[in-house]
């Protein structure tokens, strides 16, 4: 079944909006689903001391990240009655305005889909070893920390 | 004994390397290794550095031959 397969979380570069549209289309044959919840993380052009972020360069402790993510996924499927869940996170450079995180949960009803989606986002932000270098327009950088 | 060390994000940048193999004394704890490397590379904000030993977040363990110890800066996914 869907939940048993180890899933790859990382994609190189930005997540294309077309991938999201295609993912939605792929679920039209699954008619036991009544609700989808989607979270999209987008690169914000933050201003820090007069400089503007132009991109984030993501890196990760990939082996650990995949295994932590697998645990999050297993826990999510045991906590929430979701039909399926698809999660992608960028590695490498993602420019301002582009997407770096795509979380897509589906269920028979909205509440479960929404709660599961939030659960994935919060767990990914706090537990998965992903690191972000915020690159400014003048090519200097600082390291991002999740609040 | 030898342990394999990995550095990530700002720690890798400060240490100017992403991995190294270190010869350490038997019985050294992960916490002691952390303190030693933080001093050696003058890594800032040591309290924000987490250690993963063989991919488990835990700095209380005693290290064994061949362990993989990762120095992790604050997470920034999403």
């Amino acid at each position: 079944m869907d939940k048993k397969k180890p899933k790859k979380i990382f994609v190189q570069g930005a997540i294309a909006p077309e991938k999201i549209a295609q993912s939605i289309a792929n679920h039209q044959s699954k008619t036991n689903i009544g609700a989808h919840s989607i979270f999209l993380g987008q690169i914000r052009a933050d201003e820090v001391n007069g400089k503007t972020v132009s991109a984030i360069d993501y890196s990760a402790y990939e082996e650990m990240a995949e295994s932590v993510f697998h645990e999050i996924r297993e826990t999510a499927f045991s906590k929430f009655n979701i039909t399926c869940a698809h999660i992608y996170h960028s590695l490498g450079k993602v420019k301002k305005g582009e997407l770096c995180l795509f979380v897509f949960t589906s269920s028979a009803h909205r509440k479960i889909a929404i709660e599961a989606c939030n659960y994935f986002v919060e767990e990914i932000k706090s537990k998965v070893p992903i690191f972000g270098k915020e690159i400014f327009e003048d090519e200097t950088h600082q390291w991002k920390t999740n609040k | 004994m030898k342990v394999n060390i990995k550095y990530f994000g700002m720690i890798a940048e400060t240490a100017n390397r992403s991995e190294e193999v270190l010869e350490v004394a038997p019985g050294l704890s992960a916490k002691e290794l952390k303190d030693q490397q933080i001093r050696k590379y003058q890594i800032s904000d040591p309290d924000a550095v987490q250690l993963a030993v063989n991919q488990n977040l835990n700095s209380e363990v005693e290290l064994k031959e061949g362990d993989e110890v990762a120095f992790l800066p604050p997470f920034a996914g999403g």
Side-chain angles (χ1 to χ4, degrees):
Chain A
M1 287 300 286
D2 205 13
K3 66 178 177 182
K4 296 294 175 199
K5 278 188 289 184
K7 294 267 190 174
K8 287 275 176 204
I9 179 174
F10 291 117
V11 295
Q12 201 62 41
I15 296 159
E18 293 76 16
K19 185 181 181 72
I20 292 143
Q22 189 58 54
S23 292
I24 296 167
N26 290 347
H27 287 74
Q28 290 183 331
S29 58
K30 299 187 180 180
T31 49
N32 55 335
I33 292 172
H36 299 302
S37 185
I38 290 175
F39 175 86
L40 301 172
Q42 173 168 304
I43 305 300
R44 195 174 52 235
D46 269 348
E47 258 194 49
V48 185
N49 300 328
K51 294 193 288 188
T52 307
V53 171
S54 66
I56 295 182
D57 190 357
Y58 284 105
S59 57
Y61 182 10
E62 286 186 55
E63 302 89 335
M64 180 177 165
E66 297 281 3
S67 107
V68 171
F69 174 67
H70 183 69
E71 284 168 29
I72 293 170
R73 196 180 158 80
E74 293 286 300
T75 307
F77 271 93
S78 64
K79 273 172 85 86
F80 304 101
N81 190 18
I82 43 178
T83 315
C84 54
H86 304 273
I87 292 95
Y88 298 97
H89 196 292
S90 295
L91 281 183
K93 210 185 242 190
V94 185
K95 291 187 277 194
K96 64 183 177 189
E98 292 184 331
L99 302 174
C100 57
L101 174 60
F102 173 28
V103 177
F104 185 6
T105 53
S106 308
S107 180
H109 302 286
R110 71 187 183 285
K111 277 189 183 167
I112 292 167
I114 293 167
E115 281 171 17
C117 185
N118 284 342
Y119 177 81
F120 271 110
V121 173
E122 296 306 321
E123 290 287 284
I124 288 165
K125 280 184 171 272
S126 65
K127 293 188 178 164
V128 182
I130 298 171
F131 317 103
K133 186 159 78 169
E134 293 178 315
I135 300 166
F136 296 109
E137 281 162 344
D138 65 359
E139 295 297 313
T140 58
H141 69 266
Q142 71 171 16
W143 291 89
K144 176 176 181 270
T145 302
N146 278 347
K147 304 280 185 298
Chain B
M1 64 176 192
K2 286 188 170 63
V3 291
N4 303 306
I5 306 190
K6 291 184 172 227
Y7 304 100
F8 292 92
M10 73 171 86
I11 303 173
E13 184 177 81
T14 306
N16 200 25
R17 68 202 62 216
S18 57
E19 56 190 332
E20 64 184 325
V21 177
L22 274 193
E23 184 73 41
V24 300
L28 189 78
S29 73
K31 171 87 174 59
E32 288 166 328
L33 177 71
K34 175 182 169 180
D35 293 344
Q36 175 191 310
Q37 297 309 95
I38 279 173
R39 273 196 308 275
K40 179 174 170 187
Y41 293 121
Q42 301 180 352
I43 294 162
S44 58
D45 199 5
D47 290 343
V49 176
Q50 295 191 87
L51 247 61
V53 179
N54 300 323
Q55 300 180 20
N56 295 306
L57 288 179
N58 187 358
S59 52
E60 300 304 316
V61 295
E62 197 173 284
L63 296 173
K64 300 184 302 293
E65 168 80 26
D67 276 351
E68 181 173 287
V69 185
F71 283 64
L72 308 173
F75 299 167

